[in-house]
Structure formats: C-alpha cells, structure tokens
Amino acid sequence: MTTSPNSANTSLHKSVNAPAPSHLPDSMISSVNLLPTGKRLILFTRHSLRERSDGNGFASEQLPLTPKGRVLAKSWGRWLDEHLPYSLDVDSISSPITRCVDTAQLMQEGAGLQRDIVHQSLLVEPGSLVTEPKVASVIFKEIGVLNFINRFLQGDIEGTKNAYQGGLDLLSLFYQHQPQPNQLRLAVSHDTLLSAFLAVMLDVPKIDWNDWPKMMEGVFLWFDDAPFDAACAYFIWRGATYVRPIHTLLDSYLTMGFQPNTLLLPPEVDWSR
C-alpha cells in the first residue's frame, strides 16, 4: 500500500534540516519531508509527554503532561509554524482529556496562535473503539493495552465497535473537519485510538510494541477533493506515504454483514450504487 500517489506528488521541495525539538520522535521529521503542498492537512497526533501510567498501560484521565511534555508541545508547534508552508491558524479538535487539550493549546501557543479547541468524543473513549465502557474496561485492565487493541482488531472484544467502523468513524470525522487548502488542523488524541486507526488503514490484523505510537508522534492525513465514499485517504506515517480508497473500507464493513446506518458518515454518502 506504500505509494507516491499522483495527486500528492507536489512535495516539499527540499528536506527540512532545522534541528527537531528535543524529545520529538525521529519519525516526525522523516514524515514532514514527504508532505505535499497545497492540501487540506490534518495532523492526527498522540498527546505530548505525560506522567507514567500503571504497569498494564492504563492511563487515567487525570495524568497530566510533564514539564518536558509542555515544552515539547510548544516547541513542536513553533517548529511546524516556522518550517512548513501550512498555516496552523485554524481551530483544533481534541479529546476532552486535559493532557490532549493542553497539547493542542501549547502547540497553538508555540505557533503564536490562540484558536478554539473543540472537544470531540470520537477522539477519546468511549467513542471510536468502545461502546460499553463498563464491559470493555474490565477486559482492558485484565489483558493490557496491546492485547486489547489486537483483540479489537480481530473482533474479539465485548463492548467495542467493529474495527472497520472505528476506522471509518474517525475518517468521517477528519473528512468533515478538513481545513482550507494550505492549512493544518491539529487533532489530538490517545495512543489506543491512533494505533487502532493505523492498523485499520494499513489493513494489518495484529500489531506489536514496535508499531505503537510514541508520545507526540502522529500521522499526517489528507483527502481527495471528492465525496467521502469516492475519495482516497492519503497519509504519512513514520516516513512512508500510503493511500487507502475509502470505498475499500466501506466494502469490507458491509461484507461482514454490518449496516451502514451504524456509521457516522457525511450526508453525501450514496448507498444506492
């Protein structure tokens, strides 16, 4: 699925050689150097460095960003503003959890901005993956975060959506929140959502810790100028560009026997074809 699609072949003309902010995952600069120009760009990112979770990967809502995490978020926002031909002067969307909102706010501050940060329920749980938190949280705490995501991808977790539905709901959210051309919108969320979304987009049934998104690591995403079900989603993750026709996800979802009325799709999707 790795590609250099024709609609994305106007890439940044030269590599960005400016020093990266301290503690930023190396993959982010590799990804920046593959960015096209003139797109409606979204950065779907995990929040910045936070306090440690428990040994099973359970991070409570109260865990804040560390002092280094606050510095990283602000410096990353400044770096993007100074080195990309994209404006961050657009409202952000975020999980309502404080560390995510703080990440978005600090990145805006680093870019010299103060825009609204709109809370999105699909960027937190329950939302994109979990439908019955009382059921799913018990399983999560028993088996740990990585096993939970892998069982989610295999459709073997009670109280969760189908994996294709989770991926499509997030794609629909991003599609409906595309900024103007040459703008970059921040979408700040959590490692579980980002890891599951990427696995669905890459069509892999299982991931390991090497695939797990680091704090302040994210995926750059944009769409064709086409109706949702006819569009392709392009994304850059860890220094590689991918393309996924959205209809392939819709087809896989329907093939499994699920109904389209359970998806949170844009109104222009036509199911009569």
Side-chain angles (χ1 to χ4, degrees):
M1 194 179 297
T2 304
T3 184
S4 298
N6 291 332
S7 60
N9 60 7
T10 308
S11 58
L12 298 182
H13 296 295
K14 58 183 179 179
S15 296
V16 179
N17 295 317
S22 297
H23 308 294
L24 182 75
D26 293 340
S27 69
M28 296 310 297
I29 302 303
S30 300
S31 293
V32 160
N33 286 322
L34 294 176
L35 283 174
T37 57
K39 302 301 179 183
R40 302 171 183 264
L41 201 61
I42 292 170
L43 173 53
F44 178 28
T45 182
R46 188 181 179 189
H47 55 72
S48 193
L49 306 172
R50 59 152 169 76
E51 299 292 348
R52 292 176 63 88
S53 61
D54 69 22
N56 214 23
F58 182 75
S60 73
E61 295 183 3
Q62 286 73 37
L63 288 178
L65 297 180
T66 65
K68 287 182 179 179
R70 298 184 67 84
V71 171
L72 171 57
K74 192 169 184 177
S75 59
W76 182 217
R78 182 184 303 116
W79 193 100
L80 290 169
D81 178 67
E82 292 176 349
H83 296 99
L84 293 190
Y86 282 90
S87 171
L88 278 70
D89 194 5
V90 59
D91 294 347
S92 300
I93 57 176
S94 174
S95 157
I97 302 302
T98 301
R99 57 182 174 272
C100 294
V101 177
D102 286 351
T103 296
Q105 181 179 349
L106 289 162
M107 289 183 70
Q108 289 182 3
E109 288 180 9
L113 301 168
Q114 187 175 1
R115 297 292 305 232
D116 288 342
I117 300 168
V118 181
H119 296 181
Q120 287 289 340
S121 60
L122 281 176
L123 295 177
V124 69
E125 295 302 352
S128 288
L129 313 184
V130 174
T131 56
E132 299 177 45
K134 289 184 178 180
V135 175
S137 63
V138 172
I139 301 171
F140 184 103
K141 292 176 181 179
E142 286 178 352
I143 66 177
V145 62
L146 182 62
N147 288 329
F148 184 91
I149 292 299
N150 281 326
R151 283 182 55 180
F152 167 78
L153 293 172
Q154 295 155 20
D156 188 30
I157 292 280
E158 292 183 54
T160 64
K161 295 179 179 179
N162 169 266
Y164 287 116
Q165 180 181 357
L168 284 163
D169 284 348
L170 279 171
L171 275 179
S172 177
L173 173 72
F174 298 144
Y175 183 88
Q176 295 179 75
H177 285 82
Q178 294 178 78
Q180 294 301 309
N182 300 305
Q183 288 185 332
L184 186 159
R185 188 188 301 278
L186 300 173
V188 186
S189 187
H190 305 271
D191 51 352
T192 50
L193 275 70
L194 186 54
S195 61
F197 175 77
L198 286 164
V200 170
M201 294 294 288
L202 295 168
D203 205 21
V204 295
K206 187 176 182 179
I207 62 173
D208 61 31
W209 286 120
N210 292 324
D211 304 310
W212 203 258
K214 300 177 176 66
M215 296 180 202
M216 206 73 277
E217 192 171 27
V219 56
F220 292 98
L221 174 75
W222 67 99
F223 298 91
D224 286 333
D225 186 13
F228 182 73
D229 52 337
C232 287
Y234 300 89
F235 58 106
I236 300 175
W237 170 244
R238 290 185 174 173
T241 305
Y242 303 88
V243 59
R244 185 70 190 260
I246 293 174
H247 76 83
T248 62
L249 294 168
L250 293 167
D251 291 346
S252 295
Y253 180 75
L254 295 176
T255 298
M256 297 181 72
F258 295 101
Q259 298 301 312
N261 59 8
T262 60
L263 295 168
L264 304 178
L265 295 175
E268 68 270 21
V269 173
D270 180 7
W271 292 101
S272 63
R273 314 181 173 193

